[in-house]
Amino acid sequence: MRAQIIRRITMILLTAILLFGLVIHASALDDTYRFDELGMSIKFPKNDYVITLNTPRGDEVFDKVKLDFDETMTAFKAANIYLRAYDPEMVYQISMTINKSDDTAAINNYADLTSAERKSLIDAVQSDGSVSSAVEVKRNGNIFIDSARETTVDGETIYINQCNTVINGMQIDLTLQKTAEQITGEETKALSNAANSLSFDHVRRNTGPVFDWWRLLLWVLILAALAIAISVIYRHHNAAKKRKLEERRSLRRKAAEAPEESEPAHAEEKEPMTFEESLGYKDDEEFAERAHADEMAGYDIKVRETDPNKGIAYFEDEGSSIDDGTDYFDTYFKEPTEQRPWYRRLGSAIATYVKMAANRIRRFFKNLFKKKR
């Protein structure tokens, strides 16, 4: 029993070692070609002859494929070819071209398109009379359009298979080209393996509008600053208003407590105080301005009784009375106001409070600059 268990454990360990060796061997069969400026890489078999834009002058690969360095680089740059791989028998070649334009930037990624939009791209490819087939293929989360076609140059037939995609706003074409003979299944697999090996540092996807948390934070800070400023202005104005109110009340109390002096019979009769003067306003214009502002705000306060000699007024507002001549808003009316439609009252109130807020802000900064001086 123990020997059987040992044999099983041994078989498991040998299998694991064998699989690990196969993985290492498989990974060693390919060379990785890196393009840092594009943030991408691609793999090709070690036996392939591969030339890239980064291949240095004097590399032995140019002798093996019998190409001139300067001519090759000039052709690569003219056609936006970043890499070309030749099989060991020099039967076929695979080229990788990369192009950028406003159209590819707008697409960004084939995976961002709808199925209907990708279908229209496939139909556009198939509209070329030389194309025999075009299909959509998904590789590592990326969408490719694989197509096959053939063309004739100088009486010689050229067979072409292509894997086309757009990733990160770049149009990438992997094109396998072979002369005189049909492309075999193994050769098609080599092209597909190259497309499968495409790797990107970061794949940018347009998955919908991105919520900008920094912009939200900026708006929160702006609104908070405005709220603090309005609060400071309101408190400053309220404090000044309360001081004025207390001064008026103090003057009225002193006037009420002061003994009445008898005037000589021959003295001229003093002109009685106006209602505005009894309330502490310096003239009719100041009273009218405040009364109009409060009327525009929609208050409906009626004067019930006044006593100009004592500077005391009695008011009535929907059944409630205020005996000291002032209410919280310091509001006075000579006549009952007309009941207006709600929308007029609302518009008047908004206009009045906007004007009042502007005046408060102006006064606040005016006083602030005065203090600094």
Side-chain angles (χ1 to χ4, degrees):
M1 184 69 178
R2 182 179 298 176
Q4 188 176 4
I5 294 173
I6 292 174
R7 280 198 301 272
R8 288 181 179 178
I9 293 174
T10 303
M11 289 297 296
I12 292 171
L13 289 175
L14 289 174
T15 303
I17 292 171
L18 179 62
L19 291 175
F20 181 75
L22 289 174
V23 170
I24 296 299
H25 177 68
S27 63
L29 292 177
D30 293 333
D31 279 335
T32 300
Y33 298 89
R34 173 79 185 171
F35 300 91
D36 290 325
E37 67 277 16
L38 302 176
M40 62 168 287
S41 61
I42 190 171
K43 294 180 181 180
F44 281 90
K46 278 185 174 295
N47 295 332
D48 285 1
Y49 304 128
V50 179
I51 300 174
T52 74
L53 281 174
N54 301 322
T55 302
R57 182 189 296 273
D59 194 293
E60 62 179 6
V61 68
F62 291 102
D63 294 331
K64 292 179 179 179
V65 297
K66 295 180 173 57
L67 290 175
D68 178 74
F69 175 83
D70 293 323
E71 291 179 357
T72 302
M73 291 300 160
T74 301
F76 273 30
K77 292 174 182 177
N80 291 324
I81 299 172
Y82 280 72
L83 177 148
R84 179 170 287 165
Y86 301 85
D87 71 294
E89 287 76 26
M90 301 288 290
V91 175
Y92 66 87
Q93 63 185 34
I94 297 176
S95 301
M96 182 178 72
T97 61
I98 300 177
N99 293 281
K100 297 179 182 180
S101 66
D102 292 340
D103 292 336
T104 60
I107 292 173
N108 182 59
N109 196 314
Y110 274 172
D112 296 335
L113 301 178
T114 64
S115 56
E117 289 171 333
R118 293 197 296 269
K119 177 66 166 55
S120 66
L121 291 176
I122 294 173
D123 292 340
V125 173
Q126 289 179 328
S127 64
D128 187 341
S130 64
V131 175
S132 58
S133 66
V135 294
E136 178 183 312
V137 180
K138 189 170 184 178
R139 298 184 175 96
N140 301 326
N142 301 316
I143 302 297
F144 288 79
I145 296 177
D146 288 5
S147 61
R149 69 179 185 273
E150 59 183 67
T151 185
T152 302
V153 178
D154 297 332
E156 193 171 38
T157 302
I158 299 176
Y159 299 93
I160 299 171
N161 280 6
Q162 188 176 72
C163 298
N164 163 264
T165 187
V166 173
I167 299 174
N168 293 345
M170 302 181 295
Q171 177 179 326
I172 303 171
D173 292 308
L174 289 169
T175 306
L176 185 149
Q177 183 174 313
K178 185 179 180 182
T179 305
E181 296 180 1
Q182 292 275 1
I183 296 174
T184 65
E186 286 297 321
E187 293 163 350
T188 301
K189 186 176 180 181
L191 175 64
S192 182
N193 287 340
N196 285 330
S197 71
L198 271 175
S199 177
F200 297 85
D201 296 343
H202 172 70
V203 176
R204 185 176 66 252
R205 294 289 305 277
N206 289 336
T207 56
V210 179
F211 192 80
D212 193 341
W213 289 101
W214 288 109
R215 182 170 295 180
L216 174 63
L217 179 60
L218 177 63
W219 277 108
V220 168
L221 293 175
I222 291 173
L223 292 175
L226 286 174
I228 293 172
I230 292 172
S231 176
V232 170
I233 293 170
Y234 177 77
R235 290 183 179 182
H236 181 270
H237 175 78
N238 234 20
K241 188 174 180 180
K242 286 180 179 179
R243 284 196 302 270
K244 290 181 180 179
L245 186 59
E246 288 299 328
E247 289 173 1
R248 291 179 187 175
R249 287 178 176 173
S250 176
L251 290 173
R252 288 171 188 157
R253 282 194 296 268
K254 289 179 180 178
E257 294 171 359
E260 297 183 3
E261 297 181 1
S262 59
E263 297 182 357
H266 63 275
E268 294 183 2
E269 185 178 350
K270 288 186 178 181
E271 186 177 347
M273 293 175 65
T274 64
F275 175 64
E276 293 83 353
E277 291 172 341
S278 70
L279 300 176
Y281 291 94
K282 63 182 180 182
D283 52 32
D284 291 348
E285 183 179 351
E286 182 181 352
F287 175 83
E289 181 181 350
R290 181 53 190 261
H292 175 70
D294 292 331
E295 183 179 7
M296 294 292 286
Y299 297 108
D300 189 10
I301 302 175
K302 298 173 290 186
V303 177
R304 188 177 69 187
E305 183 181 352
T306 62
D307 187 350
N309 295 323
K310 293 184 179 180
I312 298 175
Y314 300 91
F315 292 85
E316 186 178 81
D317 180 11
E318 297 182 357
S320 63
S321 62
I322 304 172
D323 296 334
D324 63 351
T326 59
D327 65 0
Y328 182 76
F329 297 101
D330 198 18
T331 306
Y332 306 96
F333 282 91
K334 288 184 178 180
E335 300 293 340
T337 57
E338 179 184 358
Q339 186 68 24
R340 293 167 295 169
W342 67 269
Y343 53 86
R344 288 184 57 191
R345 295 201 307 273
L346 178 62
S348 299
I350 292 173
T352 300
Y353 283 117
V354 168
K355 184 177 179 181
M356 291 173 64
N359 288 333
R360 289 176 182 178
I361 293 172
R362 179 179 59 80
R363 290 171 188 164
F364 171 76
F365 284 107
K366 186 177 180 181
N367 294 333
L368 186 64
F369 291 137
K370 281 184 179 179
K371 290 179 181 179
K372 286 184 178 180
R373 290 174 185 174

